[in-house]
Amino acid sequence: MLGQQKLLHLADTAFSHTKADQAEVSLRVLESSLSRFANNAIHQNVFESNATLRVRVIFGKRTGVAESNDITPEGVKRTMDTARAIAQSQPESPNPSPIPQSAAAQRMDAFVPGTAECTPALRARVIGDVCGLAGAQKLIAAGAFRTDAYEIVIANSHGVSQYHRGTIADLHTVVMNDAGTASGYAVATSPDVRVLDGDAVARTAIDKALRSQNPIALAPGEYTVILEPAAVANLMQYLAWHTFNALAVQEERSFVRGKRDQILFSPNVTLYDDGLAADGIPSPFDDEGVPRQRVQLIENGAVRDVVYDTFTARRDNVSSTGHAVPVPNVQGPLARNLFFAPGDKSRDELVASVQRGILITRFWYTRLVAPLHVMMTGLTRDGTFLIENGQVSLPVKNLRFTTSFIDALRNTRAVARDTQLFHDERSGMTFRAPAIVVDNFNFTGVTQ
Amino acid sequence: MKDLAARILNMAQMRGATYADVRVTTRTLQTITVKNGRVQELSQNESQGFGVRVIADGAWGFAASSRDDYADVDAAVNRALEIARAGALSKTRDVRLGAPEANKGSYRSEFKLDPFMISMSDKINLLLKADDSMRRVKKNGAHLVTTSELVFVREDKLFASTEGAAIQQESIESGCEIQALATNEAGDVQTRTYPWGRHQQTRGFEFILAQQLVENAPRIAQEAIMLLGADPCPPSDNATVILSGNQVALQVHESCGHPIELDRVLKQEASFAGTSFLTLDKLNNLQYGSEIVNITADATIPGGLGTFGYDDEGVPAQRAEIIKDGRFVGYMTNRELAAELNLGRSNGSMRAENWNRIPLIRMTNVNLLPGAWKLDDLIADTDDGIYFDTNRSWSIDDKRLNFQFGTELAWEIKGGKKTRLLKNPIYTGVTPNFWRSCDAVCDESHWVVWGTPRCGKGQPPQTVRTGHGASPARFRNVKVFSRS
Ligand SMILES: [Zn+2]
């Protein structure tokens, strides 16, 4: 980690090299460690240290962006020069999105020294325990244990200067039998590595793997499903991308366009984005340095708001809600700290409420088929079970669904009171999700 | 670069590594995006650093850093060794790499026009023209969002190992895409892209010019608008389908390229990407496809995104047979697993996204070799069928057996002629059944090495660029339907 002082000094150095009308400097430091295991042993084990400077400069009506991880004094100057050359090489844009003025973001304590300093030996010990528990059941465990520490500075020529640092620890495992015909998945994520319970993760996955042996095939068709939190997090991700962002609305491909305050979802569904929530992975400002606001997306089934960045906010004559990804971009703002509000049912009550249905641990390879209704296809994976007469019964072969995630939130019959935290490393999105019961979930195929 | 590499290898060896290799990489990425008539994004990204991979106490360690002053290098080498020794505590066997690979050499990808020497205004103007050509078409009440993009990559990479390897490689990539998104008041959303999402090759700016983006732009926008009024693809459980060349490329990538990765077969990717139905007992025993199906993994073909001189273990680029006359005959391998399974020399499939990632077994160019048909003859030979063109959605299970792919558009074929345009088409199947139903492959005049610039694998995630030589092909008894 470089520390706030050094990063702010680097930002000042960058500003000293530009005569742009407006300039924005983003500095990101990452120290990431990951131990990966398969067949009950560690097989990949890595560490990465990187620090990146990204600058956006606006000269008149021309914008240029340059990024480099050479943060030596010469490197910083070269990056500023590249950004200027890029800006000046293009025609004037009629209406370039300005670099925003904003207030200081709330300070959030999301940095846990124990996570930042976690050693490979400690990760190996936890993994050893997971593999030992799996091996004792004649099963094999695969998975990864990651501990990250990061710092972010966003500063701009309007005097905005935001700093945040944090940590993330994530342990997940897929435990399977030797033939690969039965498997179970479990995960735990927290800013604090000390609260991750490796044994609990292992036992959940092992239990699912043991119960998954000799699955029966169910015919495709509509079923009531219990989506466990990992599957619900996946559903939330696609709704963030395709429905609850201002660009999707402006481009007329979002289901909620023009439907504010209409009750289009189940009254059991409340969805919001909150970068400041202490039970998430806090992220107090966005990639333009704008403080994140809590945005209510669905409230007891009613459509509420969508998230904005500066570019989309200007079109609608509103303020940014602090949901920019690095700008300029073509994908628009993103709700990346998503919460599905808990209900009042225990997990057992959810199961007891289903006459005949399917319990789904997680989804796999979900892809958009059509955007408006967030029509999705994908498969179930690592723990799929039949529910009969309010009880989990036999394991079932994985199924392919082709179903609308909008409809899934219309048909959400019940919501569990316990929630779980997830962090998607690829997109940087975080989710806190409960298990939910959904009626009329449509399956179109069965795997072999 | 060379001095740094030598210093790192020396440090690693002195501190107890029994093997070490280092990659020192500098990558420059230029992105130009035009959206709705204006330059939306113009950026240049430079990433440099080194990654050192060691074996100590019989286990792997890896550390990578973007900074190369003495203290950073010292810390990175120590970290790699610390990681290896921690991993060794729970090892089930020692890592062995087989015979040494002490290759020395250099490689430079082929290109005529260095895209970084083409003026920015020429590149921007090309996109503005393509964008304008899309936006000029008659809208018939539709709302149109147009996007176009150019991407250029330059990579300089040094590889050195304690076995004596010393390899310098330099490559250039050029990629492009135009896209028209059409919507109407009824809430229908249709997208057309050209060449197929982003198409990319290890070539210079001449590749971009050859794509004729401006010339194709009006057709792409018109088709997006026409799709709004098109009929949905009618369902059938046993349709005859012809896949466009780019859809064959995607089909090969997902249903052949991924399951032949030997690390997946050995469950090393079980927690994320999944395993493979092509288990070891299937090698040389499984009829994967019909007798006209021949697939290679070939890092030597000009222009492919998986074309290079040496892989990221310093093994020379090779051409490996994967499917021969329909039979499954080979995996993509690396040094460790080829040695473990006595498969001979690694076939050079280890690739890392950048300096900060370890190499994994990745596709090079996985190609369906050309057959004998001209596309017009193949359509004329099809009495009742559907032509699927340009991928839109793709999903396949974790063993790579059960797939479902949608394309941007399809054409109904009746009596040997393309008749109706069809929207939201989807086909689904099971990998070997599907490939065994292949009864025609088009010839080399239709064969293109399609680029897949965003293939994901591994933890931490790695996005690697792969290539797929393919031409249109016909399949029988396929389940098709539509969804909106
Ligand atoms: Zn892929």
Side-chain angles (χ1 to χ4, degrees):
Chain A
M1 296 287 98
L2 295 181
Q4 183 170 8
Q5 225 177 352
K6 175 122 199 249
L7 289 172
L8 291 177
H9 177 73
L10 268 169
D12 286 342
T13 310
F15 286 124
S16 75
H17 289 302
T18 184
K19 295 190 170 63
D21 300 323
Q22 300 176 60
E24 175 186 84
V25 168
S26 318
L27 285 152
R28 263 160 243 277
V29 180
L30 173 69
E31 287 191 359
S32 177
S33 298
L34 185 143
S35 303
R36 205 171 182 213
F37 54 106
N39 300 308
N40 287 342
I42 291 174
H43 66 309
Q44 292 167 12
N45 211 345
V46 300
F47 169 78
E48 169 193 0
S49 168
N50 198 1
T52 305
L53 165 69
R54 184 183 196 269
V55 298
R56 172 163 60 130
V57 293
I58 303 180
F59 290 87
K61 296 187 166 189
R62 299 179 169 101
T63 303
V65 171
E67 189 173 327
S68 168
N69 64 353
D70 180 353
I71 55 165
T72 61
E74 312 81 66
V76 171
K77 180 171 187 312
R78 204 171 56 239
T79 303
M80 298 310 288
D81 290 347
T82 304
R84 189 199 61 232
I86 282 175
Q88 291 176 345
S89 67
Q90 61 184 297
E92 290 197 332
S93 174
N95 208 5
S97 190
I99 288 169
Q101 179 69 262
S102 54
Q106 190 182 321
R107 290 302 289 259
M108 300 286 302
D109 188 16
F111 186 88
V112 180
T115 306
E117 291 152 17
C118 183
T119 62
L122 189 125
R123 284 192 303 278
R125 205 150 56 230
V126 173
I127 289 169
D129 291 347
V130 172
C131 295
L133 288 168
Q137 299 289 338
K138 300 205 162 36
L139 297 169
I140 48 175
F145 189 178
R146 168 168 63 100
T147 49
D148 285 357
Y150 56 92
E151 293 176 290
I152 305 166
V153 158
I154 312 266
N156 69 36
S157 52
H158 302 307
V160 171
S161 173
Q162 314 280 28
Y163 173 82
H164 177 65
R165 64 174 190 165
T167 51
I168 299 173
D170 183 287
L171 170 68
H172 64 267
T173 185
V174 170
V175 173
M176 56 173 59
N177 63 1
D178 213 37
T181 52
S183 60
Y185 168 81
V187 58
T189 302
S190 168
D192 189 346
V193 73
R194 293 165 305 185
V195 307
L196 297 193
D197 185 343
D199 280 12
V201 168
R203 285 181 206 289
T204 303
I206 288 167
D207 175 58
K208 291 198 173 196
L210 290 173
R211 288 192 291 117
S212 291
Q213 323 235 17
N214 306 315
I216 58 160
L218 285 186
E222 289 193 351
Y223 287 85
T224 293
V225 295
I226 296 182
L227 303 181
E228 291 209 326
V232 176
N234 186 275
L235 180 150
M236 291 158 75
Q237 181 166 35
Y238 281 90
L239 291 169
W241 280 335
H242 299 292
T243 306
F244 291 99
N245 79 75
L247 191 71
V249 173
Q250 291 169 358
E251 292 183 347
E252 302 182 4
R253 52 191 167 79
S254 165
F255 177 73
V256 298
R257 181 174 71 105
K259 293 175 179 159
R260 195 181 195 285
D261 296 335
Q262 293 181 28
I263 297 176
L264 298 177
F265 301 100
S266 155
N268 299 316
V269 175
T270 292
L271 201 63
Y272 59 94
D273 186 88
D274 190 356
L276 301 177
D279 59 347
I281 292 179
S283 170
F285 50 88
D286 72 2
D287 289 302
E288 292 183 300
V290 176
R292 291 189 191 278
Q293 291 171 30
R294 186 185 195 276
V295 177
Q296 195 76 39
L297 308 173
I298 302 173
E299 189 172 5
N300 301 324
V303 173
R304 295 293 188 233
D305 297 305
V306 297
V307 300
Y308 283 94
D309 56 12
T310 301
F311 178 78
T312 50
R314 219 160 53 127
R315 276 189 182 166
D316 282 4
N317 241 329
V318 296
S319 301
S320 167
T321 56
H323 289 85
V325 299
V327 280
N329 60 63
V330 291
Q331 65 268 43
L334 181 66
R336 41 161 283 182
N337 299 89
L338 281 163
F339 289 76
F340 195 125
D344 56 2
K345 301 275 192 298
S346 72
R347 188 177 175 285
D348 287 350
E349 285 170 324
L350 289 193
V351 174
S353 74
V354 176
Q355 257 312 301
R356 182 178 163 81
I358 301 172
L359 177 83
I360 295 170
T361 297
R362 68 190 287 217
F363 291 150
W364 168 244
Y365 226 118
T366 45
R367 287 291 183 277
L368 185 74
V369 173
L372 192 71
H373 296 95
V374 196
M375 178 61 68
M376 299 293 307
T377 189
L379 298 117
T380 64
R381 183 175 166 184
D382 300 328
T384 309
F385 302 96
L386 182 64
I387 302 170
E388 287 176 303
N389 304 319
Q391 288 189 326
V392 177
S393 63
L394 298 169
V396 298
K397 288 188 176 177
N398 285 311
L399 294 142
R400 171 177 294 287
F401 60 85
T402 306
T403 203
S404 156
F405 279 1
I406 294 283
D407 287 348
L409 292 192
R410 278 200 246 245
N411 299 332
T412 300
R413 195 214 299 164
V415 177
R417 72 168 86 92
D418 295 328
T419 60
Q420 198 184 341
L421 181 66
F422 300 89
H423 177 255
D424 178 52
E425 194 182 4
R426 220 165 258 272
S427 65
M429 296 167 80
T430 68
F431 312 89
R432 186 166 273 285
I436 62 176
V437 180
V438 177
D439 290 321
N440 303 105
F441 199 85
N442 190 24
F443 294 96
T444 51
V446 185
T447 60
Q448 292 194 325
Chain B
M1 258 173 149
K2 271 193 181 137
D3 290 350
L4 175 64
R7 190 149 50 93
I8 290 168
L9 292 179
N10 192 29
M11 277 182 181
Q13 234 166 355
M14 297 288 285
R15 295 171 193 180
T18 52
Y19 169 86
D21 62 34
V22 57
R23 275 174 298 118
V24 188
T25 303
T26 303
R27 169 172 304 149
T28 305
L29 169 73
Q30 196 177 79
T31 307
I32 308 165
T33 310
V34 163
K35 186 167 179 178
N36 298 329
R38 55 184 265 174
V39 176
Q40 178 76 15
E41 188 188 346
L42 199 53
S43 67
Q44 183 149 315
N45 174 323
E46 284 176 26
S47 181
Q48 56 175 32
F50 69 88
V52 54
R53 195 172 70 137
V54 303
I55 300 174
D57 295 350
W60 283 116
F62 175 83
S65 174
S66 59
R67 297 180 293 282
D68 62 4
D69 19 299
Y70 184 84
D72 291 309
V73 172
D74 184 60
V77 172
N78 282 343
R79 185 72 71 115
L81 286 159
E82 182 196 1
I83 287 171
R85 286 174 178 136
L89 297 175
S90 69
K91 72 183 172 190
T92 46
R93 58 169 187 272
D94 284 357
V95 176
R96 289 186 312 114
L97 292 178
E101 291 282 356
N103 305 299
K104 293 183 168 50
S106 63
Y107 169 83
R108 191 164 180 250
S109 69
E110 289 173 27
F111 59 86
K112 293 195 180 73
L113 300 170
D114 182 348
F116 290 89
M117 301 300 285
I118 304 290
S119 80
M120 195 60 97
S121 61
D122 283 358
K123 297 174 197 168
I124 293 168
N125 282 336
L126 174 68
L127 292 187
L128 286 171
K129 253 194 220 161
D131 186 85
D132 188 56
S133 304
M134 284 193 281
R135 294 183 333 129
R136 270 170 194 276
V137 301
K138 217 164 147 244
K139 313 270 189 313
N140 294 331
H143 179 231
L144 203 61
V145 175
T146 56
T147 317
S148 52
E149 181 184 51
L150 293 177
V151 169
F152 303 104
V153 181
R154 178 171 52 220
E155 185 182 82
D156 290 300
K157 183 161 63 178
L158 176 93
F159 174 89
S161 78
T162 50
E163 292 174 344
I167 293 159
Q168 184 80 48
Q169 301 194 79
E170 202 186 315
S171 70
I172 290 280
E173 292 172 20
S174 300
C176 61
E177 170 179 5
I178 60 172
Q179 182 189 99
L181 179 131
T183 56
N184 62 13
E185 270 314 304
D188 196 0
V189 183
Q190 292 293 333
T191 307
R192 279 291 285 131
T193 64
Y194 173 85
W196 74 316
R198 192 167 95 216
H199 183 23
Q200 195 160 316
Q201 289 195 338
T202 50
R203 296 199 191 268
F205 198 68
E206 72 278 2
F207 167 78
I208 304 295
L209 297 176
Q211 301 309 308
Q212 302 197 297
L213 297 179
V214 178
E215 292 78 355
N216 281 283
R219 174 177 65 86
I220 290 306
Q222 276 155 7
E223 286 177 352
I225 292 164
M226 276 163 60
L227 279 167
L228 294 171
D231 296 328
C233 177
S236 164
D237 283 340
N238 52 4
T240 293
V241 309
I242 299 176
L243 304 185
S244 62
N246 57 25
Q247 183 58 26
V248 169
L250 188 279
Q251 181 77 45
V252 169
H253 179 101
E254 302 294 353
S255 69
C256 184
H258 280 301
I260 60 170
E261 296 163 351
L262 189 54
D263 55 344
R264 287 184 71 122
V265 176
L266 298 180
K267 303 195 181 84
Q268 292 194 348
E269 286 286 329
S271 68
F272 181 62
T275 58
S276 171
F277 75 97
L278 291 174
T279 43
L280 295 173
D281 54 306
K282 306 276 193 330
L283 187 65
N284 297 317
N285 292 320
L286 175 76
Q287 192 70 28
Y288 172 92
S290 64
E291 285 180 359
I292 57 167
V293 175
N294 286 286
I295 295 179
T296 60
D298 189 348
T300 69
I301 51 176
L305 267 191
T307 302
F308 46 73
Y310 301 83
D311 78 350
D312 286 332
E313 288 190 309
V315 176
Q318 293 164 49
R319 177 184 195 274
E321 289 195 326
I322 303 296
I323 308 293
K324 175 101 181 116
D325 302 328
R327 246 162 40 102
F328 167 53
V329 296
Y331 291 109
M332 292 187 299
T333 67
N334 65 12
R335 291 186 59 189
E336 183 184 356
L337 299 182
E340 185 182 323
L341 297 177
N342 291 316
L343 293 174
R345 190 183 193 185
S346 159
N347 57 27
S349 306
M350 284 290 262
R351 306 178 69 193
E353 176 185 305
N354 206 344
W355 56 268
N356 56 348
R357 294 285 184 268
I358 51 167
L360 300 174
I361 294 179
R362 300 305 300 254
M363 280 174 243
T364 53
N365 305 297
V366 180
N367 314 302
L368 176 66
L369 300 186
W373 287 80
K374 291 274 181 258
L375 180 58
D376 285 348
D377 296 341
L378 186 58
I379 291 171
D381 185 67
T382 304
D383 191 45
D384 185 359
I386 299 172
Y387 180 85
F388 282 79
D389 192 358
T390 308
N391 190 259
R392 179 167 95 173
S393 74
W394 65 102
S395 174
I396 186 162
D397 73 351
D398 54 323
K399 294 190 178 68
R400 301 273 153 179
L401 263 180
N402 179 293
F403 64 81
Q404 180 167 311
F405 300 135
T407 60
E408 292 178 356
L409 75 171
W411 291 94
E412 188 172 57
I413 301 170
K414 288 280 183 201
K417 290 197 169 62
K418 274 190 191 176
T419 53
R420 273 196 299 169
L421 179 67
L422 301 171
K423 71 174 165 190
N424 306 324
I426 293 171
Y427 69 97
T428 184
V430 172
T431 297
N433 302 348
F434 184 76
W435 282 108
R436 284 179 209 144
S437 80
C438 178
D439 75 343
V441 179
C442 287
D443 68 13
E444 57 274 343
S445 66
H446 301 285
W447 206 74
V448 172
V449 186
W450 295 94
T452 319
R454 285 178 277 243
C455 176
K457 184 176 178 180
Q459 296 170 303
Q462 300 196 40
T463 303
V464 158
R465 287 127 23 242
T466 71
H468 303 284
S471 50
R474 187 171 64 187
F475 301 83
R476 302 288 191 175
N477 297 316
V478 180
K479 182 174 176 180
V480 304
F481 60 105
S482 80
R483 275 292 183 285
S484 57

